[in-house]
Amino acid sequence: MNEDDRGVVVACKEALREVAPLLGSEAVNTMFQKHLVVDGNLHYGEFMNDLSRLLIADFHDKISFYAMGCVTFFRSMWPSIKANAAMFVGFLLGNLPKDKRKQISKEHICGALVLLLRDPSQDVRVAAASATSLLYDF
């Protein structure tokens, strides 16, 4: 959805709308049906932030798994994948309530974000810095 190719954006929105009812979260399903309109414009950062809050609320026991999954994408050869993974992990951890933070390997995740600050891609460095800024209270 954070892609220049309009065909990819449309396909992604349609796929997410179709799979949403199977995810086991009425809130996520409602969000996808409401915001992933094929011809609509989507503010990607706000969408990721809102989605991270819903995932924390409905799947709090899986947040560490999601965060570590994002970290694996930090090694992608595509800068856009690395940047999006950094931002999403920043939203996940930044929105995580204090009582849930013990289950997160913050040293590993923060260390990986620091490494992204040295990435050759300016977009990746900006995303890593933005993600890190979301962890001011972590």
Side-chain angles (χ1 to χ4, degrees):
M1 294 180 305
N2 190 20
E3 169 69 41
D4 294 331
D5 185 334
R6 181 79 179 136
V8 171
V9 172
V10 169
C12 184
K13 286 181 177 182
E14 288 175 346
L16 287 173
R17 285 175 57 108
E18 286 184 32
V19 76
L22 306 173
L23 296 177
S25 169
E26 188 59 39
V28 172
N29 181 34
T30 300
M31 178 187 179
F32 283 13
Q33 302 308 323
K34 181 178 177 183
H35 295 289
L36 298 179
V37 180
V38 172
D39 294 327
N41 290 325
L42 179 71
H43 188 278
Y44 188 68
E46 286 181 25
F47 179 82
M48 287 197 317
N49 187 38
D50 293 344
L51 178 60
S52 72
R53 290 173 194 228
L54 294 179
L55 292 176
I56 290 166
D58 290 354
F59 303 106
H60 61 276
D61 57 325
K62 299 212 184 285
I63 297 305
S64 179
F65 175 76
Y66 297 151
M68 295 309 291
C70 287
V71 171
T72 64
F73 287 105
F74 290 3
R75 291 186 283 272
S76 173
M77 61 188 273
W78 295 290
S80 62
I81 298 292
K82 290 192 275 190
N84 285 314
M87 285 306 302
F88 193 65
V89 82
F91 287 128
L92 274 176
L93 271 57
N95 289 322
L96 196 63
K98 290 182 182 184
D99 63 319
K100 306 280 189 223
R101 294 179 182 174
K102 291 180 183 147
Q103 56 186 307
I104 300 293
S105 176
K106 63 183 173 194
E107 292 81 9
H108 178 71
I109 295 169
C110 291
L113 282 170
V114 167
L115 290 176
L116 287 182
L117 292 172
R118 296 187 214 129
D119 194 89
S121 168
Q122 178 181 351
D123 292 340
V124 173
R125 293 191 309 270
V126 167
S130 296
T132 303
S133 77
L134 298 172
L135 306 179
Y136 65 91
D137 190 32
F138 201 79

